[in-house]
Amino acid sequence: MSNNYPLIAPSLLSADFSRLKEEVQAVETAGADLLHLDVMDGVYVPNITFGPLVISALRPHTKLPFDVHLMIVQPERYIGHFAQAGADWICIHAEATPHLHRGVSAIKELGKKAGVSLNPHTPLEVLDYILEELDFVLIMSVNPGFGGQRFISQTLRKIERLKRTLVQRSLPVLVEVDGGINEETAAQVISAGADILVAGTAVFGKKDYAQAISALRSPK
Ligand code: DX5
Ligand code: ZN
């Protein structure tokens, strides 16, 4: 993983699911920093993807850190399973559990990087008393559930506010942005303060993954 921000995390959701191993290796070779894995349960979000079994099957085939985005209700039930499957970063949604602190503590006790994700309408205030516990915050810039959606522009002032708070409180928490990232919106979120960009369509939807990743890293 390079330490040149922004880090780029291709989202496997837009890959060719009949060739997952090859797709993961292709983005690793193309210069990805993390692999973003979207886990959906059909309850928290209106879509179903994959669980720990697929993640553990991919784990031996890449050195990329696995950034696991849990879009499932009561995620604290499954944190151990995903850690065991090979997740390095685990993020749970604030809206999906009344026990956010318990979930975050469980992730950290397993030695993994802990993040909280917020839906587009969820105010930053829910993080007030937990921010210092986090390694990263994932700001959703689309409604979670599907790839290929349009970036919600109100997210920009949310990223700016979060970044300002982190600077004011001197907290080393990374800001990850997920949804509708393309070359144009990448430039906007980077200037708002994003440290990590998740991109599904803007990487796997392109022919040349290396070119797609470098275009997002330094958009014109
Ligand atoms: C949406 C997922 C995203 C998705 C992004 O619920 O969390 O990670 O893959 O896809 P794009 O980059 O196509 O918006
Ligand atoms: Zn995601």
Side-chain angles (χ1 to χ4, degrees):
M1 189 167 84
S2 73
N3 275 325
N4 299 330
Y5 294 105
L7 303 179
I8 306 298
S11 165
L12 201 63
L13 192 60
S14 300
D16 177 349
F17 270 51
S18 68
R19 298 171 45 252
L20 285 181
K21 178 173 97 175
E22 291 80 0
E23 290 280 68
V24 170
Q25 291 174 337
V27 287
E28 180 170 26
T29 307
D33 298 293
L34 300 163
L35 184 71
H36 187 82
L37 294 147
D38 289 302
V39 176
M40 305 186 188
D41 67 355
V43 178
Y44 181 63
V45 287
N47 196 5
I48 302 177
T49 55
F50 50 79
L53 200 60
V54 168
I55 294 176
S56 61
L58 290 171
R59 188 60 288 181
H61 301 293
T62 176
K63 290 196 166 61
L64 284 175
F66 281 179
D67 169 31
V68 176
H69 179 190
L70 295 181
M71 285 162 275
I72 64 177
V73 293
Q74 297 170 13
E76 60 277 8
R77 294 172 301 157
Y78 287 103
I79 286 165
H81 294 76
F82 285 99
Q84 179 78 28
D88 300 287
W89 300 42
I90 299 177
C91 143
I92 60 181
H93 268 263
E95 308 85 1
T97 175
H99 299 294
L100 199 56
H101 191 279
R102 179 178 291 152
V104 165
S105 304
I107 298 170
K108 289 169 63 178
E109 275 159 26
L110 291 163
K112 309 300 176 189
K113 288 199 187 298
V116 170
S117 180
L118 302 182
N119 279 344
H121 78 285
T122 304
L124 288 171
E125 281 67 23
V126 298
L127 299 177
D128 267 2
Y129 302 103
I130 200 167
L131 208 46
E132 51 269 75
E133 308 286 340
L134 304 181
D135 295 297
F136 66 106
V137 173
L138 191 160
I139 300 288
M140 287 306 303
S141 40
V142 297
N143 289 300
F146 302 94
Q149 302 180 80
R150 208 187 136 114
F151 181 83
I152 297 170
S153 60
Q154 293 92 314
T155 307
L156 290 171
R157 60 188 170 91
K158 197 170 182 181
I159 300 167
E160 282 164 8
R161 266 194 66 204
L162 173 60
K163 196 69 179 192
R164 218 177 305 134
T165 304
L166 293 171
V167 170
Q168 274 163 6
R169 292 174 59 180
S170 306
L171 295 174
V173 179
L174 297 174
V175 179
E176 181 172 25
V177 181
D178 184 5
I181 298 296
N182 53 36
E183 226 183 306
E184 190 189 340
T185 55
Q188 296 170 344
V189 300
I190 292 167
S191 60
D195 302 299
I196 307 169
L197 311 188
V198 176
T201 320
V203 173
F204 288 105
K206 296 280 163 69
K207 269 213 174 70
D208 185 336
Y209 295 170
Q211 198 178 67
I213 289 170
S214 63
L216 295 173
R217 211 188 293 283
S218 18
K220 290 184 202 99

